[in-house]
Amino acid sequence: MSSNTAERGTITWQSPSNIALVKYWGKHGNQLPCNPSLSMTLQASLTETTLSYQRRKEPVGGVKLAFTFEGKRNETFENRIAEYLNKLLPDYPFLAAYNLNIDSSNTFPHSSGIASSASAFSALALCLMSLKELSESKSDEAGFYREASRLARLGSGSACRSVYGGYTVWGDVDNIPGYSDQYAQPLKSEVHKAFQSYYDAILIVSGDKKKVGSSAGHSLMERHPFAQSRFRQAQEHTAALIEALGAGDLERYIEIVENEALTLHALMMSSLPAFILMKKETLEIIEKIREFRRAKNIPVAFTLDAGPNVHLLYPAAYRDETVQFIQYELTELCEGRFWIDDAAGNGPKQING
Ligand code: DP6
């Protein structure tokens, strides 16, 4: 039983990261996407966030927050989160009623170059929703996650997809009703068994800090000469990938997922200013993945985030051969031979409360 009351308590959520198969790249207004995206939620790459709250005697002024990362005060994160919470205040006045202490930690190493904003804002948004339910009224489960997803989106777009397990869609999809720009939702259609148990080996080419921050990256699409055709392509890719996931069409999946990754980097390379985020090892790994697929007839696929690391996606049926391939041929191209053995997961979990 939880000892949390509306006066004081502690709420902990663990949220995984996610890997986009159709990429979100370009936003407008208040964190709204220019095109739909579709992702797979991971299992091992997690953020755990604990929110301790205590009702204030005199709730005046804005949000009262202290933030620690792995137990240590972190002012950069604290300022970003304080700004985020203060922006939420008009719609969520209960936030000013408490002293808030937030501590966060990741299961993946700080220097692994993994985007942590997705898992971080997902975990935080879920904590805020749990607090809202204690201090205001409760919503049904679907409503709880939908609102958590919307809150996560306002912190970081890709975070809104992390509040669910499995495959997730964020953004209006032409001719497929039921999806929204405001929040993500679990994929509504069937997933063929070929795609139900899937792995993602994250090959760390470099753990360096990102060369281009995501907001700056998205803004490159505002004046990009290919923007409109890209947004149309993402619409088509989302619909086609939904179909491929339902039909168990691995070939089409590979075609779309790899094209999405290369398109993302091609968009960055053809932006002003231009960014080249792939390293020579990134290209070597891609070559080896394609060669392995051709030679062994094993349906492995790669994708990339806005950085040099490679995600190698493969079905559970090919686990042994693929892990051997990674160990013998790919780890030598990874920084410190480091890779993360991740897989599709079931989504966030509340630890107490
Ligand atoms: C390339 O979600 O990090 O990973 O909304 O500015 O926080 P903000 O952007 P962010 O962008 C992610 C971009 C991407 C593709 C994706 O995850 O869809």
Side-chain angles (χ1 to χ4, degrees):
M1 269 305 277
S2 155
S3 56
N4 285 347
T5 67
E7 297 307 306
R8 69 176 65 218
T10 300
I11 296 162
T12 300
W13 277 88
Q14 266 188 355
S15 176
S17 186
N18 70 80
I19 178 67
L21 305 174
V22 175
K23 308 291 180 184
Y24 150 55
W25 197 242
K27 62 179 173 181
H28 64 97
N30 192 8
Q31 288 283 108
L32 294 166
C34 293
N35 61 257
S37 54
L38 194 162
S39 60
M40 183 176 91
T41 297
L42 299 177
Q43 190 176 68
S45 304
L46 299 166
T47 296
E48 182 171 307
T49 296
T50 296
L51 168 67
S52 309
Y53 60 95
Q54 183 172 27
R55 198 178 283 281
R56 292 165 72 181
K57 291 205 177 68
E58 287 167 61
V60 281
V63 165
K64 196 118 184 338
L65 168 75
F67 179 84
T68 51
F69 184 74
E70 291 171 354
K72 283 197 208 78
R73 182 93 188 270
N74 184 313
E75 281 190 44
T76 315
F77 291 166
E78 185 172 287
N79 292 339
R80 180 163 176 198
I81 293 169
E83 193 187 328
Y84 165 70
L85 296 177
N86 277 313
K87 270 201 202 142
L88 296 179
L89 210 48
D91 290 331
Y92 295 88
F94 74 89
L95 291 172
Y98 297 100
N99 287 325
L100 303 171
N101 281 285
I102 301 174
D103 182 66
S104 222
S105 59
N106 294 333
T107 55
F108 42 91
H110 207 37
S111 61
S112 63
I114 304 247
S116 59
S117 70
S119 51
F121 275 101
S122 166
L124 177 58
L126 287 157
C127 288
L128 297 178
M129 279 305 295
S130 294
L131 178 57
K132 181 183 175 222
E133 298 233 309
L134 283 162
S135 73
E136 295 180 357
S137 59
K138 270 201 188 322
S139 41
D140 60 274
E141 190 174 304
F144 175 91
Y145 283 99
R146 202 173 299 147
E147 196 173 341
S149 176
R150 198 186 75 87
L151 283 177
R153 184 201 100 221
L154 295 170
S156 175
S158 55
C160 75
R161 299 184 309 238
S162 269
V163 307
Y164 309 105
Y167 295 94
T168 303
V169 177
W170 170 37
D172 294 324
V173 187
D174 291 349
N175 305 319
I176 307 184
Y179 294 113
S180 169
D181 282 354
Q182 299 289 330
Y183 44 79
Q185 285 172 92
L187 181 64
K188 291 171 186 291
S189 44
E190 285 288 297
V191 174
H192 189 277
K193 67 175 181 338
F195 289 110
Q196 282 174 9
S197 185
Y198 233 75
Y199 283 90
D200 177 8
I202 311 172
L203 304 155
I204 307 299
V205 166
S206 168
D208 287 355
K209 209 172 130 20
K210 282 190 192 172
K211 265 199 249 164
V212 51
S214 50
S215 282
H218 289 287
S219 75
L220 296 173
M221 290 305 283
E222 284 164 18
R223 282 172 303 278
H224 201 292
F226 305 145
Q228 290 315 314
S229 45
R230 159 60 194 161
F231 301 148
R232 232 180 3 258
Q233 177 198 47
Q235 284 285 353
E236 287 158 15
H237 277 169
T238 305
L241 188 58
I242 290 175
E243 207 175 296
L245 289 171
D249 189 342
L250 284 154
E251 227 170 282
R252 186 77 178 115
Y253 170 94
I254 293 169
E255 204 171 81
I256 296 167
V257 166
E258 295 192 350
N259 187 260
E260 276 291 315
L262 295 175
T263 298
L264 172 70
H265 282 257
L267 288 166
M268 289 189 275
M269 288 194 270
S270 51
S271 297
L272 279 177
F275 290 93
I276 304 177
L277 301 185
M278 288 189 277
K279 298 215 183 293
K280 76 178 194 328
E281 290 83 2
T282 312
L283 292 168
E284 283 177 65
I285 291 174
I286 290 174
E287 285 294 318
K288 286 196 170 193
I289 290 172
R290 290 188 151 173
E291 176 56 25
F292 176 72
R293 178 163 72 225
R294 208 187 43 73
K296 298 278 192 316
N297 201 22
I298 291 181
V300 289
F302 69 82
T303 189
L304 308 164
D305 266 340
N309 302 330
V310 182
H311 290 247
L312 172 58
L313 302 159
Y314 62 98
Y318 301 94
R319 170 92 175 144
D320 293 347
E321 304 93 307
T322 310
V323 170
Q324 257 183 35
F325 161 60
I326 294 167
Q327 282 165 348
Y328 291 130
E329 296 202 43
L330 302 184
T331 50
E332 65 195 49
L333 296 164
C334 297
E335 193 172 69
R337 305 186 78 94
F338 183 59
W339 65 287
I340 297 173
D341 187 9
D342 215 331
N346 296 326
K349 225 172 43 198
Q350 186 168 12
I351 304 299
N352 65 353

